[in-house]
Amino acid sequence: MGFKYLPVNLGCRLNQSELTEMEQAFKAAGGFLDKASPDIVVVNTCGVTGKAEKESRQTLRRLARLYPKARIIAWGCAADKWLREGRSDWREWGIDAVYGNENKTGHPLLFMKMIKAEKGKTPAAAGFYTKRPRRFIKIQTGCNKYCSFCLIPYVRHLSKSRPVEEVVEQVKRAEKDGVKEVILTGVDIADYGRNSPAPLKGWKEASINTLGRLLEEILNKTNIPRIRLGSINPVSFSDEFIKLFKENKRLMPHFHISLQSGSDAVLKRMNRRYTRADFLEIIKKLKKVPDVLISTDIIVGFPGETEDEFKETVEFAKQVKFSRLHVFAYSERPGIVAEKMGWKNVAKEERKRRSMVLRRVGEDLMKFWTDKYRGKKVSVLWERFRGGWLIGWSHNYLPVKQKGSKSRVGMIEEVVYKPEG
Ligand code: SF4
């Protein structure tokens, strides 16, 4: 008799990719997805902000009430933090076990041992994966950079990369499951291939070619139609790396590069170790890739951020002409360096105002690019069907929608771009 499981993702794409692989292990051991009465519920928690950690706790409590007979597992970043803090009150929340991020790949086996799963019986619920034509593939975890606003190095630990063969194996498996696009994800994928314990001196010196070599392996050893990079830190992209993107249509011409601030003074306080000028250099190089679009993450209201520094960020975002801005208002996080530096906090209301201002800039930039592509041909992977509309992303990550039939979900098509569909 197989076992019934329910995976719950709270957080980033890396979390999602880890859950996908847990499901592969569960299915291989005879497990199948069951939202009605699972034997085991695994929540991959998030601890990136105080709010995310609170949501993780609330979700776990709710699931423990919803599934009183199931084993409830807390996994991931918030769980890792609770373990490091030596907390045990999670037992009162109805949780059966807490697992952090160390040795994460081996945890699914431990979870199964908890419910004594039998090996080898695959139930009829096959084909779960074909519903999603895109899949996140974990290539790296951990981070050595210690930005002053971030807790991740403390909960995901030092940067570690996955062997090339394992990544290629995961991509082949995705292809077999009918996936058309893989997104290579991690905490600091620019650090791929280098398990260097010491934090890097300057990001500009970082060599990106190890990631380039991984891409080459995937291009040569699989036929996956679309390969996309997940969020990446600003690094010096080598000529070889750019050449690879220029010459391979299977590599999607879109980069999500975390800027975080457009003010050198704020970047310094964030310990980001690159300047506006460095970032512009990087953008100039990336723009050699045909059809490339670049999106980013920006934190507003970082401690000590003056109105002028904020204006610098707004101007810089316009200057770079990002295709998309993910804007985050700074949130206090006990234990992070920024909270210990005595910098004057920006009032919450003011953080909100700055987020709104920058989000509006983001909308204008997005409109600039969608208008620019109006009437042009783009390649789209249809991912979902809703209310008579096909929905997907273009090769360079523009949102695409078109009237059509559900049967085209999972197909890659060339379409004439109309922002409104
Ligand atoms: S690079 Fe900075 S922001 Fe990103 S995970 Fe590492 S420490 Fe956090």
Side-chain angles (χ1 to χ4, degrees):
M1 175 51 206
F3 63 95
K4 299 174 283 180
Y5 67 83
L6 178 64
V8 178
N9 185 39
L10 300 174
C12 62
R13 294 166 163 191
L14 181 55
N15 266 16
Q16 180 58 59
S17 69
E18 288 160 345
L19 274 178
T20 301
E21 289 183 32
M22 178 198 79
E23 288 188 70
Q24 286 167 356
F26 280 9
K27 276 188 85 174
F32 55 96
L33 178 73
D34 186 315
K35 292 179 183 159
S37 60
D39 301 310
I40 184 166
V41 178
V42 180
V43 182
N44 209 355
T45 61
C46 177
V48 75
T49 62
K51 188 161 164 273
E53 186 184 338
K54 188 168 163 224
E55 270 163 24
S56 297
R57 241 190 341 269
Q58 290 166 338
T59 304
L60 285 157
R61 282 171 182 268
R62 184 171 51 75
L63 291 166
R65 283 195 300 277
L66 203 57
Y67 304 112
K69 293 205 185 78
R71 294 294 181 98
I72 310 289
I73 314 283
W75 200 24
C77 294
D80 193 281
K81 183 173 176 289
W82 299 333
L83 287 173
R84 263 178 329 103
E85 291 166 349
R87 292 180 75 149
S88 60
D89 52 351
W90 45 266
R91 294 180 201 289
E92 292 135 35
W93 310 339
I95 300 175
D96 296 284
V98 174
Y99 286 83
N101 284 321
E102 292 277 22
N103 313 320
K104 211 169 184 177
T105 321
H107 288 167
L109 204 56
L110 300 178
F111 299 161
M112 286 192 268
K113 281 204 178 111
M114 278 177 77
I115 48 172
K116 299 184 179 61
E118 289 164 13
K119 283 245 163 264
K121 291 205 182 96
T122 306
F128 169 71
Y129 292 115
T130 52
K131 282 189 192 138
R132 297 187 197 149
R134 298 173 87 218
R135 184 174 294 170
F136 302 117
I137 306 266
K138 173 180 175 174
I139 64 168
Q140 180 274 351
T141 189
C143 183
N144 302 356
K145 298 212 165 65
Y146 298 93
C147 302
S148 63
F149 55 81
C150 187
L151 204 67
I152 295 175
Y154 307 96
V155 289
R156 286 245 175 216
H157 314 289
L158 287 178
S159 174
K160 279 191 269 328
S161 300
R162 206 162 185 195
V164 171
E165 308 69 46
E166 252 185 58
V167 176
V168 171
E169 207 34 59
Q170 281 295 324
V171 175
K172 282 186 179 161
R173 181 181 201 127
E175 209 183 323
K176 206 168 107 269
D177 289 340
V179 168
K180 294 290 178 359
E181 178 175 307
V182 289
I183 305 103
L184 307 184
T185 190
V187 174
D188 185 9
I189 64 172
D191 202 39
Y192 182 76
R194 281 169 317 108
N195 302 336
S196 57
L200 295 162
K201 283 208 182 29
W203 290 2
K204 250 175 104 179
E205 293 92 24
S207 149
I208 194 73
N209 288 349
T210 40
L211 180 60
R213 273 198 290 283
L214 172 68
L215 291 171
E216 230 161 36
E217 285 289 297
I218 296 172
L219 286 165
N220 297 340
K221 295 197 172 143
T222 80
N223 297 312
I224 197 92
R226 292 165 59 122
I227 304 159
R228 195 180 291 283
L229 290 182
S231 176
I232 188 165
N233 277 315
V235 285
S236 171
F237 290 94
S238 63
D239 295 341
E240 297 90 337
F241 193 89
I242 300 290
K243 188 162 170 284
L244 200 66
F245 273 78
K246 277 180 163 174
E247 293 174 355
N248 290 281
K249 284 232 170 305
R250 291 165 61 203
L251 295 178
M252 299 296 104
H254 166 248
F255 295 86
H256 187 81
I257 308 191
S258 308
L259 169 70
Q260 303 302 8
S261 175
S263 148
D264 283 342
V266 177
L267 286 172
K268 199 156 180 22
R269 292 201 298 278
M270 286 177 164
N271 192 29
R272 293 290 285 176
R273 282 173 284 164
Y274 54 87
T275 62
R276 291 156 53 103
D278 296 334
F279 197 90
L280 281 179
E281 249 332 284
I282 292 165
I283 297 298
K284 213 166 94 207
K285 208 154 191 191
L286 281 177
K287 287 203 167 163
K288 291 182 185 151
V289 175
D291 248 8
V292 73
L293 288 180
I294 298 160
S295 55
T296 196
D297 299 326
I298 297 179
I299 295 174
V300 296
F302 184 77
E305 185 187 64
T306 62
E307 179 59 19
D308 286 349
E309 288 168 347
F310 172 63
K311 284 193 178 129
E312 280 185 283
T313 295
V314 172
E315 284 322 306
F316 193 73
K318 290 179 182 171
Q319 182 186 352
V320 174
K321 275 204 174 42
F322 291 109
S323 60
R324 224 182 159 81
L325 300 183
H326 292 183
V327 180
F328 305 88
Y330 174 77
S331 81
E332 285 83 353
R333 200 81 182 88
I336 56 174
V337 174
E339 292 300 306
K340 301 174 188 151
M341 302 304 286
W343 295 318
K344 188 166 171 302
N345 268 340
V346 177
K348 282 225 161 74
E349 276 316 302
E350 178 54 15
R351 289 180 223 173
K352 254 201 215 128
R353 184 194 70 80
R354 291 179 187 179
S355 303
M356 264 165 31
V357 169
L358 199 55
R359 285 206 173 99
R360 229 170 284 129
V361 170
E363 284 153 21
D364 296 346
L365 287 168
M366 167 77 104
K367 187 165 181 330
F368 168 82
W369 286 108
T370 53
D371 285 350
K372 196 167 166 64
Y373 273 84
R374 182 187 297 279
K376 287 207 177 114
K377 278 253 167 121
V378 296
S379 154
V380 59
L381 166 58
W382 296 122
E383 270 182 66
R384 279 169 292 138
F385 179 76
R386 194 177 297 152
W389 289 92
L390 285 160
I391 296 163
W393 294 99
S394 70
H395 57 308
N396 51 8
Y397 217 60
L398 286 172
V400 189
K401 63 179 191 175
Q402 198 178 71
K403 283 278 179 195
S405 73
K406 192 173 180 179
S407 61
R408 288 160 62 197
V409 170
M411 290 168 70
I412 298 170
E413 294 177 350
E414 293 281 315
V415 298
V416 175
Y417 189 63
K418 278 198 294 177
E420 63 291 334

